[in-house]
């Protein structure tokens, strides 16, 4: 079992566990000294375990916000080659398939938003379903469900939720074409029927934010970010449908891994060969769940636009970008001088393609992909950009958020939800949430320092920091 | 051991559920209580309605994951919160009744949804002091 003694420093912000035992490739952890000192030992063990899986290419990676996950660490990145017996892992994607963040540019100054912030906060809270048991106005019948699962954000735009221009600003053009709706179970569909256009709970949110600092003016300009402007960010995923698909696939892979002869260091690392019935079915269902997440964020965007049109009509809410941080994507990467088609798992990690990548929209191609890092409701979020170095360092990947530093139970004992809301209000941050207990569990102090995480990702060359954005209004699930 | 007991244990971003009881079925009941308590504080929930749940698995640990996921599914699709559970287990078949009521957000003040029971820290075992333990981490 790998421990800290197996780690050796590769440079100031990268640590390596060389292959030993059943490891096929090295494990590489990107973090600075301080994050490394506080990192859960389980991260090293789980990253090394991922390195034992069949068909893994290059190395198993952990991002600076990595923590103990399910088989894969949260903050884990690993690429697999189907031609070399590579696998796909439900735990390597996570339960909230295609959970992600999108940021919208308002085109108006934060001061203008501040002038109407109470009204705006109330209207957003009233319009966007958030929290346990919340349902949307959209109830999907069987045909609509299939169309949504196949069409993703494109389906949502066709149904009037958003604009065609949004699609170019979403990974994969807003739709994973390899979705197979027939692989989505009746139970998964039932869990989703009333959940379209809902935020969910836990760490999911819609925030109105102020661009507080710009670090790279040229990139910020290309992204349309100006210091002092207001932006809107949405963090949520594939709701009940994704959770159910993850649940079913994890169980199926636990049972079938034995039959496939895959030796697993721990049961939760369950996976299936990409080129197998279980692997192919999961890939098709996972892509459908990703489409559900993209459609969900698109609908919430349309709801937010309606609120702004009413409360602050000058605001445009133009989509800067939409990233997913729980995924397995089929991507072409250069490995040892050879172009290879790989299945890249990012569990709590953000795709961060560098400048010139053909998958980026033309307006962003020269600068690199926007990498959207969600912070907490009391600290800050960050916008980074992908780098050429990052393509080689972790298949074009970076961190995804702050990562928890304290359990929900400990947070609940330490903070009162009402006091958290009042403290933040005194700092000019309006919280609207159906649950004080939920707010206490999500208190900003329960998270790691997102600035340190972003700083380490930047220093490691995974992505470059473009802007820091601070919360003004947070609709918390 | 004569009485059942449930608790939460810590797991980074998520929550561990642990149930103990004099029998395997009692430990499963308590683990489900711990699961339900992630969402809503138990004293706020009345046992006004019942839901029948059945599942089967080739071993006790898989059965625990299936059982907790079945409870999550019923909470999600029926918009219910639960107060109590009665479980019987025979030859890998689990039959249960869950007691609860429709979620009332103002009265129940739910904290967070549960996404799925995981294989992390999954353990179903006899305790040295007698009785059973059933636990795993739940993704929230």
């Amino acid at each position: 079992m790998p421990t800290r003694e197996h780690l050796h420093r590769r440079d100031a912000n990268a640590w390596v566990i060389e292959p030993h035992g059943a490891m096929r490739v090295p494990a590489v952890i990107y973090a600075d000294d301080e994050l490394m000192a506080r990192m859960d030992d389980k991260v090293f063990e789980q990253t090394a375990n991922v390195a034992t899986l069949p068909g893994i290419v290059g190395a198993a990676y952990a991002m600076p916000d990595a923590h103990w996950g399910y088989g894969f660490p949260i903050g884990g990145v690993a690429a697999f080659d189907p031609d070399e017996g590579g696998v796909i892992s439900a735990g390597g994607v996570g339960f909230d398939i295609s959970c992600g963040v999108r940021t919208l540019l308002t085109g108006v100054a934060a001061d203008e938003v501040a002038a109407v912030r109470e009204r705006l906060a109330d209207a957003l809270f009233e319009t966007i379903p958030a929290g346990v048991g919340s349902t949307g106005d959209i109830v999907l019948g069987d045909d609509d469900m299939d169309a949504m699962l196949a069409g993703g954000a494109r389906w949502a735009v066709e149904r009037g939720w958003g604009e065609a221009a949004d699609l170019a600003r979403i990974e994969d053009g807003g739709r994973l074409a390899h979705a197979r709706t027939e692989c989505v179970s009746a139970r998964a569909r039932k869990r989703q029927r009333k959940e379209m256009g809902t935020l969910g709970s836990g760490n999911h949110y819609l925030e109105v934010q102020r661009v507080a600092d710009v670090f790279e003016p040229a990139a910020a300009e290309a992204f349309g970010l100006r210091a002092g402007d207001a932006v809107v960010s949405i963090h949520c995923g594939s709701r009940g449908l994704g959770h159910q698909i993850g649940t079913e696939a994890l169980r199926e892979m636990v049972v079938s891994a034995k039959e496939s002869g895959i030796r697993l260091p721990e049961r939760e690392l369950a996976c299936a060969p990409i080129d197998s019935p279980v692997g192919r079915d999961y890939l098709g269902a996972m892509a459908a769940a990703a489409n559900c997440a993209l459609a969900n964020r698109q609908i919430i965007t349309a709801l937010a636009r309606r609120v702004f049109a009413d409360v602050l009509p000058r605001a445009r809410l133009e989509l800067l970008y939409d990233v997913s941080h729980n995924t397995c994507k089929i991507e072409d990467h250069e490995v040892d001088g050879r172009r290879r088609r790989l299945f890249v798992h990012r569990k709590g990690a953000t795709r961060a393609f560098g400048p010139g990548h053909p998958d980026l929209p033309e307006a962003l191609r020269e600068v690199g992909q926007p990498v959207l890092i969600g912070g907490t409701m009391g600290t800050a979020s960050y916008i980074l950009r992908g780098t050429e170095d990052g393509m080689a360092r972790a298949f074009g990947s970076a961190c995804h958020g702050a990562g928890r530093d304290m359990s929900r139970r400990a947070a609940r004992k330490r903070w009162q939800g009402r006091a958290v809301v009042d403290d933040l209000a005194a700092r000019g941050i309006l919280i609207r949430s159906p649950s004080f207990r939920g707010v206490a569990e999500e208190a900003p102090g329960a998270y790691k320092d997102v600035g340190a995480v972003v700083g380490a990702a930047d220093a490691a060359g995974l992505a470059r920091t473009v802007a820091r954005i601070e919360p003004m209004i947070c609709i918390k699930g | 051991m004569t009485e059942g007991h449930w608790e939460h244990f810590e797991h980074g971003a998520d929550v561990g559920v642990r149930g103990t009881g004099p029998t395997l079925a009692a430990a499963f009941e308590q683990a489900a209580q711990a699961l339900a308590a992630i969402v809503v504080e138990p004293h706020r929930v009345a046992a006004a309605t019942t839901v029948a749940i059945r599942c089967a698995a080739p071993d006790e640990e898989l059965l625990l994951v299936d059982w907790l996921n079945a409870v999550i599914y019923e909470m999600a699709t029926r918009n219910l919160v639960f107060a109590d559970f009665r479980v019987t287990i025979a030859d890998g078949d689990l039959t249960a009744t869950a007691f609860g009521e429709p979620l009332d957000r103002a009265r129940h003040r739910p904290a967070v949804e549960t996404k799925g029971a995981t294989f992390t820290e999954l353990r179903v075992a006899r305790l040295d002091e007698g009785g059973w333990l059933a636990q795993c981490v739940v993704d929230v």
Side-chain angles (χ1 to χ4, degrees), chain A residues 68 70 95 130-133 187 190-191 201-202 239 243 247 250-251 267-268 404 407-409 435 437, chain B residues 8 10-11 13-14 37-38 41 61 66 69 73 79 105 110-113 115 118-120 122 139-140:
Chain A
W68 182 16
Y70 312 116
F95 282 85
V132 181
R187 287 169 80 83
K190 191 169 173 191
R191 257 178 101 166
S201 63
R239 310 294 297 113
H243 309 164
T247 296
L250 191 63
R251 187 193 195 278
R267 187 156 58 163
E268 60 186 338
R404 284 191 81 92
S407 73
R408 290 183 172 277
R409 192 175 70 148
S435 169
R437 182 178 155 197
Chain B
H8 293 153
E10 308 213 340
H11 173 269
D14 297 305
I38 294 173
E41 289 167 13
E61 291 189 338
D66 285 356
N69 279 323
Y73 179 79
N79 205 28
R105 299 216 297 171
V112 68
E113 291 171 324
K115 294 176 184 167
T118 75
F119 291 83
T120 300
L122 171 60
D139 193 1
V140 296

Side-chain angles (χ1 to χ4, degrees), chain A residues 94-97 191 195 204 237-248 289, chain B residues 69 72 113-116:
Chain A
F95 282 85
D96 197 354
I97 295 165
R191 257 178 101 166
E195 292 199 350
H204 294 153
S238 49
R239 310 294 297 113
L241 182 129
H243 309 164
Q244 188 66 27
I245 289 173
T247 296
E248 290 167 7
Chain B
N69 279 323
I72 289 171
E113 291 171 324
T114 48
K115 294 176 184 167

Side-chain angles (χ1 to χ4, degrees), chain A residues 125-139:
Chain A
F125 185 51
E126 198 172 300
T127 306
I128 293 158
V132 181
S134 59
T135 52
D137 289 338
I138 305 156
V139 178

Side-chain angles (χ1 to χ4, degrees), chain A residues 102-183:
Chain A
R102 64 167 51 187
T103 296
L104 303 143
L105 308 168
T106 67
V108 301
D111 290 346
E112 265 186 79
V113 170
V116 294
R117 63 194 189 127
E118 291 279 353
R119 220 179 114 210
L120 186 59
D122 291 342
L124 286 167
F125 185 51
E126 198 172 300
T127 306
I128 293 158
V132 181
S134 59
T135 52
D137 289 338
I138 305 156
V139 178
L140 293 186
D142 292 344
D143 290 348
D144 278 344
M145 182 72 76
D146 270 338
M148 182 276 288
L149 293 172
R154 280 195 209 178
W155 167 85
V157 168
E158 282 163 13
R159 298 299 165 101
W161 291 293
E163 299 149 17
D166 295 338
L167 299 174
R169 297 299 184 114
I170 305 172
E171 290 178 353
D172 307 296
R175 170 181 178 256
L176 269 68
H178 57 277
R180 286 170 56 210
T181 58
E182 72 275 17
C183 297

